[in-house]
Amino acid sequence: MNTSGFLVENDTHLQDPLSASVNGAFQQGFGESSNDNEYGLWETASRLTVSFPRDGTKISRYDSSLYETFGHLLTETQLQENILKAFQTWAQHSSINVGLVSDSPGLDPDPGHDFGVRGATQGDLRFGDTRVGAVPMAGDVFAVAVPHNDLMTGTWAGDILFNSNAEWVDTDQFFAVALHEIGHVLGLEHSTDPISVMHPTALNQTLSAGDILDIKALYGDRALDQYDLNGDENNSIESAVEIRNTGSIDGIIPLAVFGDIGGPADVDFFSIRPNSGYNGSITFRLISNSLSIVRGRLTVLDGDGNEFGSVTESSTTGSNILFQLNNVDDSQHYFVKVESLGNSENRFGSYALETTIDGNVMQGQDLIETAIRRNYGFLSQGDVQELFLNDLNAAIQDDLVDEDGNNLHTNDTPATATVLEPSPNAAAHNDYRVQGSISDATDVDYYQFRALASTMMIRINAMEQSGLISDIRVFDSSLNSVSGQVKVNGNGELLIKFQGIIPEDEYFVSVTPDRAGFGFDAGNYDLNIAFNAPVGSLATLGTGRLSTANRTEAHTLYVARTQLFHFALTGMSQSITPNATVWMTVYDEDGNAKYRVATRPNETRTSQSVILRPGSYSIRVHLTLPTSVDRRPSLLAVPLLNYRIDGVGISDPTGPEIIDPSEDPFAPCDKSSSQFCYPNDRYSTDPFIVVEEDEVILPGTTQNPNWMDANSWYWEPDWLG
């Protein structure tokens, strides 16, 4: 077996300048991190969310105490408003939206879901992409942010943890710390500019010119919505966008359109004409509170600009207002004007406009919030309505369909590929984007695009939990296969990095089910193609060989500093049955499973990123076979399978752990040394190492997992069971 450690740079935390000279922060220095695995960009920064778990929610071994910590300075509402204002301070300068959502509403009034629980990195419907909490930490730290990263999978990404042990003296201090940590969440590193909010010891409350340039470099200028592109602004009654209410719909579902207010001067107009013979009421509802904190005003007018009335949101945390128009006339058009009011940070943001034909609506009234969270704002009105008609379970039709809705498979070959155009609103490193659907096990979707640089990243996400498990293939213009390196493949996300791409050449990408006929082979997806995007590196931590005679191999992982780990397991075999499942499980010294991933021969799979505290861990790799194969020795000829474990510690240290030397099992060898002393006279500057099976002994009750198809386990919520 090969053995390897991996060096990562220290995570950078905001230090209390009053104690910096005492704790040595100035002497140690806090320059910009050189670790390319630490900070990354949010793929869909236009749809970020934040939530505030109730006190008592578990953060590692602690109970969150956010409201208790700041109760002497802020009410719960004021605390949330300050965090949202800090987010919007960044968002207004770029293509970023942050909306407020509830945290663990199904568990209320009990504490919410644990921080770091298994789930989607972005868009988990149980809570926000960023969760805010407070736990006791070292006294020289105000707060830490778990940075988002392309290699980060799971729900830790973007979380902000305030130090309940710190001395919090006023709201200005709290806001400055929040502004700094949110910069990290969005992908910014420390700055040496003393007036930057990203300076590691200054408590600045206003973005510097350099801060604004830095956030624009990551996410671009604020993007136009789909109705303002190409000069076709819907900023007047004459240019109003029609709300689609045609065909067999007749208002039996709410009608939803999505837009964005780009600033104080931006105004959006929409129009609707009632169904023939309908003279009841129509209700218009403006919703932004799970999309952004734009403070909106909704006005309903006739074609001559005469107002029937208006309503204005009073909250500073987002809009949720409605206006009901009674006794409508089916012979005229009605117009809706959407604009923003309030302070500068409330004048920007995305929204949804829901129109209900009150006398006709029969279904879907409860679906708008879920549709917003699932990021359907990129879809056409027709696709959104099809989803509402089918309780959000319909396929997004990237292919043509017949009159019965059957897929005609019109882009199932390279010759009929859908040609992609660069995203007009693309932020940095997000060059092509399309949402589509695999409608059945035989469906294949081909897309053609022009390469923009020599390094390419392709990411595909399932748009529904327990939805499509996809596979992608890339071909050059001669239809030769182009190989890439799998970085992430689990929990609904597949990320592959390609190098040696020829700029300006034409390429094809195909989307198929990972394994047709084995479940999870249909569903909607979100496909992104990016060039020159920073994707972190994985190091090989260990390799080995399994067989029917030797089904388990082991390695030992020593962790000297709290780490957020990302692992990838690859199985390699040309002979063993493709139905075999290879498991990798990380156990602590008490035999508790802390991490697990399952893969198949000739595939790479990943699982939820996991925080591991300092200590000794056993990595067990185990081969399982279906019972039908295990009982037929004739099927086990040359039953060899090689495996490879890749991984990285994304930040060092991270997480809600007090740095207590008495708890450090592998402390630095002496005060002047940067090396850690690991067992058996091993010395390394790496904050973790992996070696062949060492002296870690597990309790006899620990059992290897039984066989389960890797795709069946892929969406398993009890991932450690």
Side-chain angles (χ1 to χ4, degrees):
M1 301 175 210
N2 295 334
T3 62
S4 176
F6 190 76
L7 174 64
V8 295
E9 297 292 333
N10 285 344
D11 189 14
T12 49
H13 307 314
L14 182 60
Q15 301 290 319
D16 183 347
L18 299 178
S19 63
S21 60
V22 175
N23 62 45
F26 284 131
Q27 286 80 0
Q28 295 173 8
F30 288 86
E32 295 185 359
S33 170
S34 61
N35 177 15
D36 65 353
N37 288 314
E38 186 161 3
Y39 296 105
L41 305 184
W42 291 88
E43 176 191 0
T44 311
S46 60
R47 291 292 186 271
L48 292 176
T49 57
V50 61
S51 66
F52 298 85
R54 296 174 287 281
D55 279 4
T57 299
K58 283 293 182 184
I59 306 178
S60 185
R61 52 182 171 163
Y62 302 104
D63 292 337
S64 180
S65 59
L66 180 69
Y67 296 119
E68 178 184 350
T69 298
F70 295 102
H72 66 293
L73 296 176
L74 299 159
T75 66
E76 292 187 11
T77 299
Q78 289 170 337
L79 186 150
Q80 294 182 15
E81 288 175 342
N82 270 267
I83 293 290
L84 289 167
K85 180 181 177 181
F87 263 111
Q88 193 73 354
T89 300
W90 289 105
Q92 63 184 311
H93 297 291
S94 192
S95 294
I96 300 171
N97 286 294
V98 180
L100 174 65
V101 298
S102 298
D103 194 291
S104 310
L107 301 182
D108 195 17
D110 296 325
H113 294 284
D114 294 354
F115 277 65
V117 68
R118 191 183 194 197
T121 305
Q122 186 173 4
D124 195 302
L125 298 181
R126 297 169 296 178
F127 38 69
D129 304 324
T130 289
R131 305 177 78 193
V132 184
V135 291
M137 288 181 274
D140 61 351
V141 177
F142 279 140
V144 296
V146 182
H148 179 265
N149 184 280
D150 285 316
L151 300 181
M152 171 86 69
T153 56
T155 61
W156 276 114
D159 291 350
I160 297 174
L161 310 176
F162 288 90
N163 184 3
S164 60
N165 281 345
E167 182 180 0
W168 297 98
V169 297
D170 56 39
T171 56
D172 288 346
Q173 175 199 29
F174 172 75
F175 181 79
V177 172
L179 198 59
H180 177 101
E181 296 302 329
I182 290 167
H184 284 321
V185 168
L186 296 175
L188 293 173
E189 299 180 349
H190 278 147
S191 170
T192 58
D193 183 354
I195 66 171
S196 167
V197 300
M198 298 311 298
H199 190 276
T201 59
L203 291 175
N204 296 313
Q205 299 179 59
T206 304
L207 299 190
S208 69
D211 292 330
I212 295 172
L213 289 175
D214 288 343
I215 199 67
K216 286 178 178 287
L218 293 182
Y219 296 103
D221 291 323
R222 185 153 194 92
L224 300 174
D225 64 32
Q226 59 182 310
Y227 305 117
D228 287 338
L229 294 176
N230 304 318
D232 298 327
E233 297 179 307
N234 60 329
N235 58 1
S236 66
I237 287 178
E238 292 73 22
S239 60
V241 171
E242 184 174 3
I243 298 172
R244 183 179 183 269
N245 183 26
T246 57
S248 61
I249 297 173
D250 275 344
I252 66 172
I253 58 169
L255 309 173
V257 293
F258 297 85
D260 187 271
I261 297 295
D266 191 12
V267 179
D268 291 342
F269 281 83
F270 299 90
S271 70
I272 188 169
R273 182 171 181 172
N275 303 94
S276 177
Y278 182 79
N279 301 113
S281 63
I282 297 178
T283 298
F284 302 97
R285 181 184 175 202
L286 180 66
I287 309 165
S288 76
N289 54 2
S290 51
L291 284 169
S292 72
I293 67 168
V294 66
R295 184 182 170 207
R297 172 186 282 173
L298 187 155
T299 305
V300 181
L301 312 98
D302 64 17
D304 295 323
N306 301 308
E307 292 189 12
F308 293 101
S310 66
V311 59
T312 302
E313 179 59 66
S314 60
S315 171
T316 59
T317 61
S319 301
N320 193 340
I321 52 178
L322 58 86
F323 182 89
Q324 188 175 66
L325 185 65
N326 297 312
N327 304 316
V328 300
D329 182 352
D330 65 349
S331 67
Q332 71 167 294
H333 274 84
Y334 295 91
F335 295 85
V336 181
K337 177 183 178 182
V338 179
E339 58 190 322
S340 65
L341 297 172
N343 298 325
S344 60
E345 63 269 8
N346 295 112
R347 303 300 296 268
F348 301 78
S350 293
Y351 63 86
L353 177 64
E354 180 188 52
T355 303
T356 304
I357 313 298
D358 298 325
N360 291 358
V361 68
M362 298 174 60
Q363 65 187 75
Q365 299 96 312
D366 59 342
L367 297 180
I368 185 66
E369 295 290 346
T370 303
I372 290 172
R373 295 296 308 278
R374 286 188 179 178
N375 197 25
Y376 291 151
F378 293 94
L379 301 178
S380 68
Q381 290 190 53
D383 276 336
V384 172
Q385 289 174 4
E386 189 67 24
L387 286 161
F388 272 61
L389 286 168
N390 292 276
D391 292 327
L392 303 186
N393 293 318
I396 297 171
Q397 295 300 339
D398 52 296
D399 290 318
L400 296 177
V401 295
D402 63 20
E403 60 184 9
D404 296 320
N406 298 311
N407 192 325
L408 297 177
H409 297 280
T410 52
N411 67 340
D412 284 20
T413 68
T416 59
T418 301
V419 178
L420 300 180
E421 297 295 333
S423 301
N425 282 341
H429 314 304
N430 192 4
D431 299 300
Y432 295 93
R433 182 169 193 173
V434 64
Q435 292 173 321
S437 176
I438 297 297
S439 58
D440 55 59
T442 65
D443 193 12
V444 181
D445 290 345
Y446 274 90
Y447 298 97
Q448 182 178 350
F449 60 94
R450 178 174 55 87
L452 304 179
S454 60
T455 301
M456 176 176 71
M457 178 187 75
I458 298 184
R459 184 199 311 268
I460 188 168
N461 291 89
M463 294 184 67
E464 297 87 23
Q465 184 73 15
S466 299
L468 175 70
I469 302 177
S470 56
D471 188 24
I472 57 177
R473 295 284 187 269
V474 173
F475 306 90
D476 64 18
S477 58
S478 299
L479 300 183
N480 299 307
S481 180
V482 179
S483 60
Q485 182 184 15
V486 175
K487 300 288 188 176
V488 175
N489 186 12
N491 207 33
E493 178 181 354
L494 174 60
L495 171 66
I496 305 179
K497 181 177 181 179
F498 299 85
Q499 294 179 304
I501 301 298
I502 302 175
E504 302 301 324
D505 271 16
E506 295 293 318
Y507 285 83
F508 298 88
V509 58
S510 67
V511 180
T512 63
D514 173 74
R515 204 174 186 203
F518 282 80
F520 310 108
D521 53 8
N524 298 318
Y525 60 82
D526 188 353
L527 178 69
N528 283 267
I529 304 172
F531 291 88
N532 283 338
V535 181
S537 302
L538 297 178
T540 297
L541 304 180
T543 62
R545 173 174 290 185
L546 303 173
S547 69
T548 53
N550 178 36
R551 297 197 181 186
T552 303
E553 288 284 355
H555 309 258
T556 297
L557 168 64
Y558 293 121
V559 179
R561 295 274 183 88
T562 302
Q563 299 280 301
L564 182 60
F565 284 94
H566 173 75
F567 296 109
L569 178 64
T570 303
M572 299 165 284
S573 177
Q574 299 301 317
S575 58
I576 206 162
T577 171
N579 292 326
T581 300
V582 186
W583 301 88
M584 171 185 147
T585 308
V586 178
Y587 297 95
D588 66 16
E589 293 178 79
D590 295 324
N592 301 307
K594 310 299 290 185
Y595 175 91
R596 179 166 289 157
V597 64
T599 191
R600 289 199 301 264
N602 305 311
E603 284 196 13
T604 298
R605 289 281 176 95
T606 63
S607 190
Q608 168 116 350
S609 299
V610 61
I611 286 183
L612 297 179
R613 297 183 57 228
S616 301
Y617 298 84
S618 180
I619 301 176
R620 300 296 175 96
V621 184
H622 181 67
L623 171 66
T624 60
L625 300 169
T627 302
S628 59
V629 174
D630 245 348
R631 291 178 178 175
R632 297 177 64 185
S634 61
L635 297 179
L636 301 179
V638 198
L640 297 177
L641 182 141
N642 296 318
Y643 67 84
R644 186 182 72 244
I645 303 169
D646 298 319
V648 63
I650 293 176
S651 54
D652 169 31
T654 192
E657 303 295 344
I658 294 177
I659 300 174
D660 184 349
S662 66
E663 293 186 357
D664 255 353
F666 314 118
C669 301
D670 58 64
K671 292 184 178 179
S672 62
S673 174
S674 61
Q675 289 190 323
F676 297 101
C677 292
Y678 293 107
N680 295 332
D681 296 324
R682 297 186 182 95
Y683 306 96
S684 176
T685 56
D686 297 347
F688 74 91
I689 62 172
V690 177
V691 299
E692 293 187 23
E693 178 68 345
D694 219 330
E695 53 278 302
V696 177
I697 305 297
L698 296 176
T701 56
T702 300
Q703 295 182 347
N704 289 312
N706 296 319
W707 180 84
M708 177 187 288
D709 179 72
N711 275 15
S712 298
W713 181 85
Y714 184 96
W715 289 110
E716 177 60 47
D718 185 17
W719 70 305
L720 296 177

